[in-house]
């Protein structure tokens, strides 16, 4: 039959890596959606609406009026309610609750979408040699991400806090990006083995793409501190910040290092600077790939990186100028993962050829 599994061991060995690669990329796509939902959750202040860590029982939403009232009464004990949402009623609580519930429910779906196929591939002996440790590590990273998410949310329940700790937010974001990158890179490796040869110019282009990728990661993490400090609500002009290239009060906090993570002026300037450097590096890698690589996957991936950084930079400026509306801020965060994807594709397309032994 057309949809029967390959019958011979040789055909099965060829098919299985591709199937696993597609599965890993599918899970990576779910993580991408999770990052976007997380951005919307943060921007709407919904993340603190569920004050219980219940991995199993929390799968179902409240099913009775009494349960809704219990959760609402629990929410009314934290500073966010008293300082931001006091008096918004049960209907207002339900609006922020549903977004956070969807965020956690999607995380549970990701866990199932990864763990169940992994168990099936493992028990059927379909996992290629040497891949099991990496797949187990990805499973552990996914579980750790859930724990770090609760660790982040719990920081928002502390006295005088109306949002989560910027440090824990960046930790949560960093782990999500690392998990996405690992899933994507592993999936690509199964779908596109190393080439036997590469053009001589690939080495220098690879260095440019690596520089762009690290600058992009740095800009994303700096963006996490912008989000954690709500720094996008200030200095809503571009390219200057209140008429200055470097804003006044950049070093106003003590100790000095805290300005890099807690000073609104400094974290926004750092994000702008790193984003600009990353965009220039990405465009440089794209130009080099266009000029020096033959038509094919590697060249297209480099050009895609250039296009992605331009789109993200434009979205960042628009988000800033409009004082971070929820829809635009969410799109900006989702597009950050697009840029990371483009960087991974470019780096994968210009990997060194496999060694001949």
């Amino acid at each position: 039959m057309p949809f029967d599994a390959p019958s011979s061991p040789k055909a099965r060995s060829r098919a299985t890596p591709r199937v696993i690669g597609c599965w890993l990329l599918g899970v990576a796509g779910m993580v991408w959606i999770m990052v976007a939902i997380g951005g919307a959750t943060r921007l709407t202040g919904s993340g603190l609406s569920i004050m219980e860590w219940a991995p199993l029982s929390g799968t179902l939403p409240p099913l009775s009026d009494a349960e809704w009232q219990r959760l609402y009464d629990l929410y009314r004990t934290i500073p966010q309610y008293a300082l931001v949402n006091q008096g918004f009623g049960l209907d207002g609580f339900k609006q922020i609750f549903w977004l956070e519930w969807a965020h956690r429910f999607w995380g549970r779906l990701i866990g199932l979408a990864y763990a169940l196929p992994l168990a099936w591939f493992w028990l059927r002996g379909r996992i290629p040699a040497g891949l099991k440790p990496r797949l187990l590590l990805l499973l552990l990273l996914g579980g750790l991400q859930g724990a770090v998410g609760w660790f982040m949310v719990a920081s928002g329940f502390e006295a005088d806090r109306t949002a989560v700790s910027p440090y824990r937010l960046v930790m949560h974001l960093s782990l999500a990006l690392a998990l996405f990158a690992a899933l994507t890179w592993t999936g690509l490796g199964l779908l596109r083995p190393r080439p036997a040869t590469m053009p001589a110019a690939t080495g220098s282009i690879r260095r440019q793409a690596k520089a762009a990728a690290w600058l992009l990661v740095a800009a994303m993490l700096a963006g996490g501190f912008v989000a954690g400090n709500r720094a996008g609500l200030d200095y809503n002009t571009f390219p200057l910040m209140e008429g200055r290239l470097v804003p006044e009060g950049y070093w106003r906090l003590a100790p000095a290092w805290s300005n890099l993570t807690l000073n609104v002026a400094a974290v926004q300037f750092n994000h702008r600077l790193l984003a600009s450097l990353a965009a220039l590096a990405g465009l440089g890698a794209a130009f080099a790939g266009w000029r020096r690589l033959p038509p094919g996957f590697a060249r297209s991936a480099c050009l895609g990186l250039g296009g992605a950084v331009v789109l993200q930079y434009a979205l960042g400026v628009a988000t800033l100028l409009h004082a971070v509306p929820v829809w635009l801020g969410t799109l900006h965060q989702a597009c950050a993962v697009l840029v990371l994807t483009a960087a991974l594709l470019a780096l994968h397309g210009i990997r060194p050829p496999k060694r001949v032994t």
Side-chain angles (χ1 to χ4, degrees):
M1 295 294 291
F3 299 105
D4 286 345
S7 55
S8 70
K10 185 175 182 180
R12 186 163 57 247
S13 66
R14 288 197 304 268
T16 299
R18 293 193 61 83
V19 172
I20 294 178
C22 290
W23 160 59
L24 291 174
L25 292 182
V27 176
M30 294 182 72
V31 175
W32 188 341
I33 295 172
M34 186 71 165
V35 172
I37 298 174
T41 301
R42 174 185 55 80
L43 288 165
T44 57
S46 303
L48 303 182
S49 59
I50 302 179
M51 297 181 57
E52 296 175 326
W53 175 241
L56 296 178
S57 61
T59 303
L60 295 176
L63 300 176
S64 67
D65 291 340
E67 181 65 5
W68 274 114
Q69 190 63 48
R70 184 187 73 82
L71 293 174
Y72 179 44
D73 290 341
L74 195 60
Y75 175 71
R76 288 194 294 176
T77 64
I78 66 172
Q80 187 189 70
Y81 174 79
L83 300 175
V84 178
N85 291 326
Q86 188 171 27
F88 75 162
L90 185 58
D91 288 339
F93 172 71
K94 288 181 179 181
Q95 290 180 12
I96 63 172
F97 176 93
W98 280 119
L99 188 54
E100 173 63 8
W101 180 84
H103 183 55
R104 298 190 187 193
F105 183 74
W106 191 255
R108 292 180 174 95
L109 287 181
I110 293 175
L112 291 175
Y114 187 84
L116 294 182
L118 174 62
W120 189 87
F121 287 128
W122 196 296
L123 294 174
R124 296 292 298 270
R126 296 294 186 90
I127 298 177
L131 192 60
K132 287 182 178 180
R134 184 182 299 192
L135 295 182
L136 283 177
L137 177 60
L138 289 172
L139 180 65
L140 291 175
L141 282 177
L144 179 62
Q145 175 69 336
V148 169
W150 175 247
F151 178 65
M152 176 192 69
V153 169
S155 68
F157 304 149
E158 299 170 0
D160 299 324
R161 273 199 175 276
T162 61
V164 299
S165 162
Y167 298 108
R168 298 190 192 186
L169 174 64
V170 172
M171 186 189 306
H172 190 48
L173 176 63
S174 301
L175 191 54
L177 295 176
L179 182 60
F180 173 83
L183 286 165
T184 302
W185 190 265
T186 305
L188 287 173
L190 292 169
L191 294 174
R192 300 190 72 257
R194 283 184 183 271
T197 60
M198 288 294 289
T202 304
S204 62
I205 300 172
R206 188 183 307 116
R207 289 190 290 273
Q208 289 178 272
K210 282 183 178 180
W214 284 115
L215 284 167
L216 288 167
V217 169
M220 291 175 194
L221 298 185
F225 283 110
V226 171
N229 291 281
R230 300 179 181 177
L233 300 178
D234 294 301
Y235 302 101
N236 300 112
T237 58
F238 187 85
L240 301 180
M241 301 175 67
E242 290 189 348
R244 298 167 60 98
L245 184 60
V246 180
E248 189 175 358
Y250 185 96
W251 295 110
R252 66 180 178 83
L253 299 182
W257 64 264
S258 64
N259 288 280
L260 304 179
T261 56
L262 298 176
N263 182 349
V264 167
V267 297
Q268 193 190 124
F269 175 80
N270 294 343
H271 184 50
R272 291 184 185 211
L273 177 62
L274 288 168
S276 298
L277 293 175
L280 290 174
L283 287 172
F287 182 74
W290 174 64
R291 288 288 304 273
R292 303 171 65 186
L293 290 177
F297 179 87
R299 188 181 192 218
S300 298
C302 289
L303 291 174
L305 174 59
V309 296
V310 169
L311 174 61
Q312 176 68 342
Y313 199 86
L315 279 174
V317 173
T319 302
L320 177 69
L321 295 179
H322 289 86
V324 199
V326 172
W327 73 271
L328 198 49
T330 302
L331 185 59
H332 183 51
Q333 182 157 319
C335 192
V337 185
L338 172 65
V339 177
L340 178 60
T341 305
L344 292 171
L345 288 171
L347 289 172
H348 202 271
I350 53 179
R351 288 173 300 162
K354 56 185 177 183
R355 296 176 181 177
V356 178
T357 57

